[in-house]
Amino acid sequence: MAQLFDCIIVGAGPSGLAAALYTGRDRLNTIVIEKFAPGGQINNTQRIENYPAIKDITGPDLVEKLYDQALSFGAQFKMGTSVESLKRLEDGNISITTDSEELLTRSVILTPGSSYRKLGVPGEVQFSGSGVSYCGTCDAPFFKGKNVIAVGGGNTAVEEALHVAKYAAHVTLVHRRSEFRATQVLVEELQAASNGKGNISLKLNSIVTSIEGKNKVESVMLHNTVTGEKESLPCEGVFIFVGTVPNTEFLKGFVELTEHGFIKVDCAFLRASVPGVFAAGDCRVAAAMQLATAIGDGVLAAMSLKQYFRDPKWWQVPVSDLLMPSGW
């Protein structure tokens, strides 16, 4: 018979590592399952300066600290293992099938993270982390005084382009359509910043076909989808804001997902649709997609898990009732 764990955490990114630290400290028998290596996308970040109280650290260094800390409190790790399916059993426990075995657990914290949607053009992978960025909030200060390209047309693209423009000398926002999908108030702010007085210009009906350079980003090649014209545009950085894809394909049919694949949770306690299952970090609905909030999510999920163990009926109590002073 398979060993029964108190908690299985799926994913060893910042959320999963933070959750493992807290469940380990609570002496819960915890194992973290990770398909690749600890850290996830944060491993690709060479400099983190917006994590509170830590002014300057690399992604891999922060991951190492989080991993060692979780280990020190007894969390176990199973690396190089893919989770294929999950099922809640009649006794309330949850069966997790991996590519090598079946595991049983009283609870699950889902932290599989998400992946930035890529353009899929030459040079994108080559310069990722060294000129190509997918997070303006994270990396804009590194492009202070430089000319950069931003790509996208949704809310995130416009918000991030406006943020990057606070640091960069000039931002050229490239969008494949003639109109933006972003909300009107953001579009108006963008137009105000691109009317000749600001430091943003627009390239509409255009797509990036390649990112070019020798040892660093030097230019992008653009293709106008209306005229067919090709143009080489010099730049020192490329910000790609074309969305994220949650790594939740394996969860279809187990928990409720949004149409875009994000895990539905109540944002107060991170409870998913299946009792005993929590979701934290970039994989969940309404995630802020930031390192600090991802770690906070992992902590919150671990704390909520304890309440579920104390009283399984708590799962059915509406959030509005739990937020009352006597509800927690």
Side-chain angles (χ1 to χ4, degrees):
M1 184 176 180
Q3 178 184 358
L4 178 64
F5 290 91
D6 291 320
C7 178
I8 291 181
I9 299 169
V10 181
S15 283
L17 294 173
L21 165 62
Y22 269 69
T23 57
R25 288 184 74 244
D26 284 326
R27 299 296 185 260
L28 297 176
N29 187 10
T30 300
I31 187 168
V32 183
I33 303 175
E34 169 58 49
K35 186 175 182 179
F36 300 111
Q41 291 186 41
I42 203 69
N43 281 319
N44 299 321
T45 302
Q46 293 306 306
R47 184 180 177 187
I48 298 168
E49 62 176 15
N50 62 342
Y51 188 77
I54 300 179
K55 187 176 181 181
D56 189 354
I57 190 171
T58 69
D61 284 346
L62 181 61
V63 168
E64 183 179 5
K65 292 178 182 294
L66 288 168
Y67 176 66
D68 289 345
Q69 195 173 13
L71 274 177
S72 72
F73 285 103
Q76 303 173 57
F77 288 83
K78 194 172 185 64
M79 299 299 174
T81 300
S82 297
V83 172
E84 297 181 347
S85 63
L86 298 89
K87 180 180 179 180
R88 191 169 191 266
L89 306 177
E90 291 183 1
D91 62 5
N93 292 323
I94 297 164
S95 168
I96 296 183
T97 301
T98 74
D99 53 10
S100 60
E101 62 184 326
E102 179 186 7
L103 301 171
L104 294 177
T105 180
R106 298 169 61 203
S107 66
V108 173
I109 299 178
L110 298 169
T111 62
S114 65
S115 302
Y116 291 115
R117 184 173 280 114
K118 307 294 194 298
L119 294 178
V121 300
E124 182 177 10
V125 174
Q126 177 186 351
F127 294 112
S128 181
S130 57
V132 171
S133 172
Y134 300 88
C135 180
T137 304
C138 310
D139 297 335
F142 306 136
F143 293 84
K144 187 175 182 179
K146 297 183 179 181
N147 294 321
V148 302
I149 305 295
V151 184
N155 284 342
T156 298
V158 174
E159 287 176 342
E160 292 280 54
L162 290 168
H163 177 74
V164 173
K166 297 175 182 178
Y167 296 89
H170 189 83
V171 176
T172 302
L173 181 57
V174 178
H175 181 40
R176 60 181 176 172
R177 297 187 175 93
S178 59
E179 296 181 353
F180 290 93
R181 293 177 288 109
T183 56
Q184 187 60 31
V185 65
L186 285 173
V187 173
E188 290 174 358
E189 187 176 350
L190 176 67
Q191 291 171 339
S194 60
N195 64 359
K197 297 180 181 179
N199 63 334
I200 297 179
S201 59
L202 307 179
K203 287 282 186 180
L204 303 180
N205 295 316
S206 298
I207 58 174
V208 173
T209 57
S210 65
I211 300 170
E212 302 178 349
K214 294 182 180 179
N215 298 319
K216 60 181 181 179
V217 172
E218 296 176 1
S219 64
V220 298
M221 184 63 69
L222 301 181
H223 172 76
N224 188 294
T225 58
V226 175
T227 66
E229 179 184 359
K230 295 182 179 180
E231 176 186 6
S232 178
L233 193 63
C235 64
E236 297 170 270
V238 180
F239 286 87
I240 300 172
F241 307 125
V242 293
T244 57
V245 181
N247 302 322
T248 57
E249 186 71 23
F250 68 100
L251 295 171
K252 287 183 176 179
F254 176 64
V255 293
E256 290 185 17
L257 306 174
T258 69
E259 61 178 323
H260 299 296
F262 291 94
I263 302 170
K264 292 184 179 181
V265 296
D266 70 67
C267 293
F269 305 105
L270 305 184
R271 298 175 295 184
S273 58
V274 176
V277 178
F278 301 83
D282 295 356
C283 66
R284 74 167 176 92
V285 68
M289 305 294 181
Q290 293 295 303
L291 170 63
T293 55
I295 288 178
D297 265 14
V299 173
L300 175 57
M303 295 180 68
S304 297
L305 181 154
K306 290 193 298 179
Q307 182 67 19
Y308 170 67
F309 282 173
R310 285 193 290 265
D311 179 14
K313 293 181 180 179
W314 166 81
W315 199 271
Q316 309 303 331
V317 181
V319 170
S320 57
D321 292 345
L322 291 171
L323 293 179
M324 297 297 288
S326 60
W328 178 254

